[in-house]
Amino acid sequence: MIPIISKLPQTGTTIFTTMSALAAELGAINLSQGFPDYDCPAELKELVSHAMQQGHNQYAPMAGLMSLREVIAAKTEKLYGGKYDPDTEITITAGGTQAIYTAISTVINPNDEVIIFEPAYDAYAPAVRMMGGLVKSLQLEPPDYRINWEMVKRLITNRTRMIILNSPHNPTATILQKEDIDQLISIISNRDIFILSDEVYEHLIFDNQTHHSMARYAELRDRSFIIASLGKTFHVTGWKLGYCIAPAYLTKEFRKIHQFLVFSVNTPMQFAAAEYLKNEEHYNYLPGFFQQKRDHFRAGLEQSRFKLLPCNGSYFQSAFYDAISDEKDTDFVIRLTKEFGVAAIPTSAFYSKGTDYKVIRFCFAKTQETLDKAVDRLIKV
């Protein structure tokens, strides 16, 4: 066996893979991994089929179909007021995670520091480390998980190169508020710090609140990579279709790396997405659609011994289980899957130090039948 030096020696199989595999093995209801258990709209599948039948089965342009980039530019301007050139400032990617990795690798060099707010999506830190960067984590605490901006100021040094934000947030379902944006602008003013804004749940904002995209703010647009996911928007996570919006000087460098990672993204799905996005109702209905699921799921769990945390966005509901057990969250979710037939995610998996606040995360992007079955089991815990 030839020796190999691991570039990610502390990294193993993700908790999402582990819990989904356990759920499948036991026939449990899978509320762990973030994907729907219902199909995408029939019209969308028909559009893909039509594109295939029309012969759109070869490489798409490296940056993505212009028709898709144009409709994304129009959508972004209408929703957030940010004007982006589809030719030089929008790139179609193989999902949001590829866009995140590419953006980080575009600007992070050895010994650059990147500020991450934990609990954090598990793709951020490994990408930073792969580039030789240093992760500086700020731990957020339940139940509100608000960012302490005074602590952020203390973390910033002359080597700080990037701040990674995620709103709506996975796993906590929090969203950035206007005061967060004001603090961010104040902190990065006159500093050479990039923003990576993970906005894959941009349309899943509840209770008539506002999504504070970096595209809304001139002070942030010029330094931000905005990451979005058509897979999340269209209920087609298996298509791995996302995009990155960034100013031209960043996009130019982003595409240099993108072309050697995937070069281009599946062509017929891009044709379908370009056509489907023309109808604004295909994304404007999403807040109400998922809020109904959130409310139904929360109402059911009110009968349980779980203590629900606020849920302002995304399709995740977190809950304290400390009234039920003092087990580690990793042990609790395994027992929950084995004994009660419902799989969830322990939020300690989103902390680099494995911090355990006795909080677990459920995904409610499921049919009402699935959610009702899950609630029936969870109220017995």
Side-chain angles (χ1 to χ4, degrees):
M1 185 179 295
I2 301 173
I4 182 170
I5 299 175
S6 175
K7 292 188 175 182
L8 296 171
Q10 306 303 318
T11 301
T13 303
T14 71
I15 190 65
F16 310 107
T17 299
T18 299
M19 294 310 301
S20 284
L22 183 63
E25 176 187 343
L26 299 175
I29 297 172
N30 188 359
L31 303 188
S32 59
Q33 199 167 0
F35 61 84
D37 69 343
Y38 46 86
D39 204 0
C40 67
E43 179 185 349
L44 196 53
K45 291 187 287 186
E46 291 168 2
L47 288 169
V48 174
S49 177
H50 179 73
M52 290 179 172
Q53 295 298 328
Q54 292 296 308
H56 299 301
N57 300 301
Q58 308 309 323
Y59 293 125
M62 180 268 287
L65 290 181
M66 181 55 74
S67 58
L68 178 53
R69 287 183 276 154
E70 287 173 343
V71 73
I72 289 171
K75 167 178 169 287
T76 303
E77 182 175 1
K78 181 161 188 177
L79 290 177
Y80 312 124
K83 294 184 179 182
Y84 290 90
D85 185 336
D87 185 34
T88 60
E89 298 183 315
I90 298 175
T91 307
I92 308 304
T93 62
T97 302
Q98 184 245 312
I100 289 166
Y101 182 91
T102 306
I104 290 171
S105 60
T106 297
V107 297
I108 299 305
N109 291 298
N111 297 316
D112 285 344
E113 295 176 351
V114 178
I115 294 175
I116 293 176
F117 301 102
E118 296 185 343
Y121 178 50
D122 63 353
Y124 304 151
V128 172
R129 295 190 180 106
M130 286 282 285
M131 299 305 120
L134 304 175
V135 176
K136 299 186 77 172
S137 301
L138 179 60
Q139 287 201 8
L140 310 181
E141 299 180 0
D144 58 0
Y145 297 102
R146 301 312 309 171
I147 296 173
N148 183 333
W149 291 101
E150 288 302 316
M151 291 297 297
V152 176
K153 292 177 184 178
R154 296 178 194 176
L155 285 179
I156 289 178
T157 71
N158 59 5
R159 294 196 300 178
T160 304
R161 191 65 166 163
M162 175 179 279
I163 296 174
I164 299 180
L165 297 166
N166 175 207
S167 181
H169 188 267
N170 173 20
T172 69
T174 57
I175 60 174
L176 292 174
Q177 303 293 340
K178 181 57 167 59
E179 52 264 35
D180 294 309
I181 298 298
D182 292 341
Q183 290 277 6
L184 176 63
I185 291 172
S186 174
I187 287 172
I188 64 175
S189 179
N190 299 317
R191 290 189 170 102
D192 293 333
I193 297 176
F194 296 107
I195 303 298
L196 192 157
S197 186
D198 181 352
E199 303 182 17
V200 299
Y201 300 105
E202 63 176 318
H203 298 298
L204 280 58
I205 298 276
F206 308 135
D207 306 313
N208 296 313
Q209 297 190 77
T210 298
H211 173 48
H212 291 283
S213 172
M214 299 302 110
R216 288 186 183 274
Y217 304 97
E219 304 95 325
L220 300 175
R221 282 197 299 267
D222 290 344
R223 63 175 75 213
S224 294
F225 296 93
I226 299 173
I227 309 302
S229 169
L230 294 172
K232 300 289 188 188
T233 301
F234 295 155
H235 321 294
V236 285
T237 59
W239 285 14
K240 298 299 294 179
L241 191 63
Y243 55 92
C244 176
I245 303 176
Y249 79 102
L250 291 179
T251 295
K252 179 181 178 182
E253 297 303 315
F254 179 97
R255 289 178 180 176
K256 289 179 182 179
I257 296 171
H258 169 78
Q259 68 183 339
F260 295 119
L261 283 177
V262 296
F263 182 73
S264 63
V265 179
N266 50 80
T267 302
M269 279 73 168
Q270 289 193 59
F271 273 96
E275 188 63 30
Y276 197 69
L277 270 178
K278 291 177 182 178
N279 185 341
E280 297 174 13
E281 183 54 31
H282 288 156
Y283 51 85
N284 284 336
Y285 85 100
L286 289 169
F289 176 78
F290 280 106
Q291 184 169 325
Q292 186 277 330
K293 291 183 179 296
R294 179 203 66 172
D295 293 347
H296 184 78
F297 188 52
R298 286 177 66 92
L301 287 182
E302 291 290 352
Q303 308 168 62
S304 75
R305 292 198 290 163
F306 291 97
K307 180 183 177 183
L308 301 179
L309 278 70
C311 176
N312 295 307
S314 81
Y315 47 48
F316 301 114
Q317 174 64 61
S318 293
F320 284 111
Y321 65 88
D322 53 344
I324 300 171
S325 170
D326 62 359
E327 295 168 272
K328 293 192 299 185
D329 62 359
T330 48
D331 294 335
F332 181 75
V333 294
I334 291 173
R335 185 166 71 85
L336 189 67
T337 308
K338 290 181 176 180
E339 296 184 9
F340 295 92
V342 179
I345 292 291
T347 59
S348 66
F350 296 86
Y351 288 95
S352 56
K353 296 180 180 179
T355 307
D356 183 1
Y357 288 108
K358 308 299 184 218
V359 174
I360 61 175
R361 188 201 79 178
F362 300 106
C363 172
F364 56 80
K366 310 296 176 183
T367 64
Q368 184 161 317
E369 179 184 9
T370 298
L371 293 176
D372 287 343
K373 287 181 179 178
V375 166
D376 286 344
R377 297 178 186 188
L378 290 170
I379 61 179
K380 298 173 182 175
V381 179

